[in-house]
C-alpha cells in the first residue's frame, strides 16, 4: 500500500501518482492491469470486493476462441488447463440439422467457471510487479484537472475517501459502470427481448461428449456447456412472452424446457449443484470506448446480449487493444489522448459490426433470408460450417462472414442440396459423432 497524506476535505490523497488507475478487477481490469504493468507502468488496480476470491456469478462463461491469443499472451492458458478448463468445441442445433458435428479441429476457446477464473486472473494481476492491488475500495468519483480526467476517488470499507491521481483512468467496472455514469457522455441502449436462466449440474451426460451444445429454436435458445470440476452448465434464453411460465414455476419450467430439446440432456437424472440463476432484463449497451484521460474496457464499453457468449472474450481483447494502442504514449510522454482516440476507433472497428447484428437478433424476430441461407448451408456443408464457426467464435468480422465467396458457397450448397432432393440429415448421428 502506498504512503498517504490527509488533505483538508477529509479525503486522503495518495502521495504516489500512478500511470494508470484501473477500476474493477475482473476480466477486463485484470487483463489491462497485467499488460500495462508488463510494459513498465505503475498501476493502481481498484476493486470494490474485499475478498480476492469474489467472482461474477451471473455468467455462463463460454469464452470464445477469439480471446485465446490474449489468454495465451497473459500466460493464462496453462493455468486454465491445469484448473480443468475445457477446450470448448460447439455443435449447434438448427431446423436444418446440426452445425459443426463433423467439422474437426475447429479453433477452441475455454469453458471455465468464473469461481475458478476470476480469482486466478486477480492473482495473476496482483502478483505482477508494478500492480498495486487495492481490494475493498469502491470508485466514487473522478478527479478532473483542466477539463481532463486525472485520477479517481475511492472509498474504503471504513468509509474514508482516497484520491488516486493517475494519467489514465480505465473503467473496467462492468455493465453498470459507475465511472461511465459519473463521466456522462453518449450511451446507446437496444432492447433484448429474451430472458436467461441457468444452473450447474454434476453427472450430466451429453451426447456431444465434452463439446458444448447450443439449440437455436427460433426464437428460444438453449445451451449445455461442460466446465471444470465435472460441472455442466445448462442455460436457456427464451423469448420474453414465456416469462410468466418461468415466474410461476421456475424449476418445473426449466426442466421441462430441456426435456423438450432434440437430444437434450436429462436434467432430472443429474444433480443440480447451484440454484437456478437468471436475468430478466439485459439490454444491449454501448458507449464510445475512450475520451481524454479515460478509457472503457469490457462490459463498461460494450455489453452485448449474453446469448452469443461474447462478453468475456471481448473483455480480454478490448483490454489488450487499449494497452497496445496507449502504452507507448503513456510511458514515453507521448500524446496520450491521441492514442486513446486510436483505441476508441479500433474498438469500434473490431466490434461494432458484431454488436449491430447481435442487437438486431435480440429483438426476437423470424430469421431473415441471409440467416436462413448461412445457417442452412452450415448445417449441410463442412466448409460452410467452419466459416460459420469462425464468425460465431468472433475470429472473423461481418464483412468476411458475408463475403461474396462465402455467400456464393452457401447458395451453391443449398442449390446442390435441393437438386439432390435429399432428406434433411438426422441430428442424432451428427451429434453422436461429435461426442467421440
Ligand atoms: C446471464 C449472463 C450470461 C453470460 N454468459 C457469458 C458467456 O457465456 N460468455 C461470455 O463471454 N460472456 C458472458 N456473459 C457476459 C460476461 O459475464 C461479461 O461480459 C464479463 O464479465 C465482462 O467482464 P468485465 O471485466 O468487463 O466486467 P465484470 O466481470 O462485470 O467486472 C466488473 C468488476 O468491477 C468491479 N466494480 C464495479 N464497480 C466498481 C467500483 N465502483 N469500484 C471498484 N470496483 C468496481 C466489480 O466488483 C467487478 O469485479 C454473460 C452475462 C450474463 C448476464
Amino acid at each position: 500500500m502506498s504512503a498517504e497524506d490527509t488533505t483538508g476535505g477529509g479525503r486522503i490523497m495518495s502521495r504516489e501518482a500512478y500511470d494508470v488507475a484501473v477500476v474493477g478487477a475482473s476480466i477486463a481490469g485484470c487483463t489491462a492491469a497485467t499488460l500495462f504493468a508488463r510494459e513498465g507502468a505503475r498501476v493502481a488496480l481498484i476493486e470494490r470486493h474485499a475478498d480476492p476470491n469474489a467472482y461474477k456469478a451471473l455468467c455462463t462463461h463460454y469464452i470464445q476462441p477469439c480471446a485465446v491469443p490474449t489468454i495465451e499472451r497473459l500466460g493464462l492458458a496453462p493455468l486454465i488447463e491445469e484448473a480443468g478448463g475445457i477446450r470448448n468445441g460447439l455443435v449447434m442445433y438448427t431446423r436444418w440439422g446440426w452445425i459443426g458435428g463433423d467439422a474437426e479441429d475447429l479453433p477452441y476457446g475455454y469453458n471455465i467457471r468464473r469461481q475458478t477464473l476470476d480469482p486466478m486472473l486477480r492473482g495473476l494481476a496482483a502478483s505482477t510487479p508494478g500492480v498495486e492491488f487495492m481490494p475493498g475500495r469502491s470508485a466514487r468519483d473522478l478527479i478532473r484537472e483542466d477539463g481532463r480526467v486525472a485520477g479517481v476517488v475511492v472509498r474504503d470499507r471504513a468509509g474514508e475517501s482516497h484520491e488516486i491521481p493517475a494519467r489514465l483512468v480505465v473503467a473496467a467496472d462492468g455493465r453498470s459502470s459507475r465511472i461511465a455514469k459519473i463521466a456522462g457522455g453518449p450511451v446507446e441502449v437496444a432492447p433484448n427481448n429474451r430472458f436467461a436462466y441457468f444452473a450447474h449440474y454434476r453427472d450430466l451426460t451429453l451426447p456431444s461428449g465434452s463439446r458444448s451444445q447450443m439449440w437455436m429454436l427460433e426464437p428460444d435458445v438453449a445451451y449445455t456447456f461442460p466446465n471444470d470440476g465435472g460441472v455442466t452448465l445448462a442455460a436457456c434464453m427464451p423469448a420474453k412472452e414465456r416469462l410468466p411460465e418461468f415466474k410461476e414455476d421456475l424449476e418445473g419450467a426449466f426442466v421441462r424446457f430441456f426435456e423438450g430439446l432434440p437430444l437434450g440432456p436429462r436434467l432430472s437424472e443429474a444433480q443440480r449443484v447451484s440454484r437456478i440463476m437468471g436475468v430478466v432484463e439485459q439490454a444491449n449497451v454501448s458507449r464510445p470506448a475512450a475520451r481524454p484521460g479515460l478509457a472503457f474496457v469490457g462490459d463498461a464499453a460494450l455489453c452485448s446480449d449474453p446469448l452469443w457468449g461474447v462478453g468475456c472474450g471481448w473483455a480480454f481483447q478490448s483490454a489488450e487493444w487499449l494497452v497496445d494502442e496507449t502504452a507507448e504514449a503513456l510511458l514515453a510522454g507521448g500524446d496520450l489522448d491521441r492514442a486513446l482516440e486510436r483505441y476508441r476507433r479500433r474498438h469500434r472497428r473490431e466490434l461494432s459490426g458484431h454488436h449491430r447484428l447481435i442487437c438486431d437478433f435480440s429483438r426476437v424476430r423470424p430469421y431473415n433470408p441471409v440467416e436462413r441461407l448461412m445457417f442452412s448451408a452450415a448445417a449441410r456443408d463442412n466448409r460452410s460450417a467452419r466459416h460459420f464457426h469462425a464468425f460465431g467464435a468472433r475470429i472473423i468480422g461481418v464483412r468476411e462472414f458475408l463475403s461474396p465467396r462465402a455467400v456464393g458457397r452457401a447458395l451453391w450448397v443449398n442449390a446442390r442440396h435441393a437438386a439432390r432432393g435429399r432428406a434433411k440429415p438426422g441430428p442424432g448421428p451428427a451429434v453422436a459423432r461429435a461426442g467421440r
Side-chain angles (χ1 to χ4, degrees):
M1 189 82 33
S2 58
E4 292 176 323
D5 279 341
T6 306
T7 62
R11 277 185 185 174
I12 300 175
M13 167 94 169
S14 171
R15 271 198 215 129
E16 197 170 327
Y18 295 87
D19 296 307
V20 191
V22 179
V23 179
S26 179
I27 296 177
C30 290
T31 302
T34 304
L35 296 180
F36 268 128
R38 285 188 193 162
E39 294 292 324
R42 285 159 305 156
V43 182
L45 177 58
I46 299 147
E47 169 55 48
R48 69 177 169 194
H49 288 295
D51 179 2
N53 293 319
Y55 65 92
K56 185 172 191 274
L58 279 179
C59 185
T60 56
H61 35 78
Y62 182 98
I63 304 177
Q64 293 291 353
C66 61
V68 167
T70 317
I71 289 172
E72 285 175 348
R73 176 170 167 185
L74 285 165
L76 203 63
L79 303 182
I80 289 178
E81 300 216 356
E82 272 163 34
I86 306 283
R87 294 184 178 190
N88 62 9
L90 181 78
V91 289
M92 180 189 279
Y93 174 82
T94 69
R95 67 169 120 141
W96 298 276
W98 288 86
I99 297 176
D102 287 338
E104 301 293 333
D105 303 326
L106 293 173
Y108 61 85
Y110 286 106
N111 288 349
I112 179 157
R113 288 173 298 167
R114 297 293 296 261
Q115 68 195 74
T116 312
L117 177 69
D118 290 16
M120 183 190 285
L121 251 174
R122 216 165 277 134
L124 180 76
S127 64
T128 303
V131 174
E132 188 175 332
F133 181 44
M134 302 179 178
R137 294 194 178 199
S138 184
R140 310 295 293 185
D141 207 350
L142 289 167
I143 305 170
R144 290 186 174 88
E145 275 171 22
D146 305 325
R148 196 176 178 286
V149 172
V152 65
V153 180
V154 302
R155 188 177 295 166
D156 65 20
R157 294 181 83 74
E160 293 211 72
S161 290
H162 306 253
E163 285 195 356
I164 299 180
R167 244 187 115 207
L168 171 63
V169 172
V170 178
D173 51 346
R175 175 188 162 75
S176 314
S177 172
R178 185 179 180 101
I179 298 292
K181 282 181 193 130
I182 298 164
V187 51
E188 279 181 28
V189 180
N192 179 352
N193 292 325
R194 292 183 183 83
F195 60 95
Y197 281 108
F198 63 94
H200 293 171
Y201 288 83
R202 239 176 242 294
D203 306 323
L204 189 61
T205 309
L206 302 180
S208 58
S210 64
R211 281 214 209 173
S212 298
Q213 278 173 273
M214 180 170 183
W215 289 263
M216 302 294 289
L217 301 169
E218 302 179 54
D220 302 341
V221 175
Y223 320 86
T224 46
F225 297 157
N227 270 269
D228 58 300
V231 167
T232 297
L233 182 143
C236 64
M237 298 190 183
K240 276 197 181 153
E241 64 191 22
R242 292 190 68 175
L243 190 55
E245 178 192 337
F246 280 73
K247 288 277 183 202
E248 195 180 304
D249 170 20
L250 178 56
E251 181 153 6
F254 190 77
V255 171
R256 275 195 306 278
F257 186 97
F258 280 89
E259 279 172 356
L261 295 176
L263 283 180
R266 299 202 156 275
L267 298 187
S268 49
E269 290 171 9
Q271 183 196 2
R272 179 154 63 79
V273 290
S274 76
R275 62 196 171 86
I276 301 175
M277 294 168 274
V279 200
V280 170
E281 281 304 332
Q282 185 74 6
N284 299 276
V285 180
S286 67
R287 49 177 63 88
R291 67 179 74 174
L294 179 61
F296 297 91
V297 289
D299 275 11
L302 181 68
C303 187
S304 307
D305 188 343
L307 189 150
W308 297 103
V310 290
C312 297
W314 289 353
F316 279 112
Q317 287 183 286
S318 57
E320 180 180 34
W321 297 333
L322 173 67
V323 175
D324 287 348
E325 297 297 344
T326 63
E328 196 181 327
L330 184 72
L331 298 168
D335 187 340
L336 176 60
D337 292 343
R338 208 154 151 197
L340 282 168
E341 175 57 15
R342 263 202 317 274
Y343 162 65
R344 186 189 68 77
R345 278 194 259 116
R346 179 166 182 188
H347 189 281
R348 195 182 55 188
R349 194 172 62 242
E350 300 270 6
L351 302 185
S352 67
H354 287 292
H355 183 67
R356 266 201 308 277
L357 287 194
I358 289 175
C359 290
D360 186 45
F361 202 82
S362 296
R363 286 165 39 216
V364 176
R365 43 137 184 90
Y367 284 178
N368 63 38
V370 176
E371 287 161 348
R372 289 202 297 273
L373 174 69
M374 300 310 270
F375 275 86
S376 57
R380 290 168 180 156
D381 171 51
N382 265 344
R383 217 154 96 193
S384 299
R386 296 185 82 84
H387 185 71
F388 186 87
H389 180 268
F391 180 65
R394 311 297 156 178
I395 293 169
I396 61 171
V398 178
R399 191 174 294 178
E400 193 176 341
F401 178 53
L402 297 178
S403 68
R405 199 188 167 98
V407 171
R409 172 133 194 134
L411 288 166
W412 175 78
V413 165
N414 280 341
R416 186 188 57 175
H417 179 81
R420 287 180 182 170
R422 275 197 188 153
K424 188 173 79 176
V431 175
R433 276 197 299 278
R436 274 201 239 128

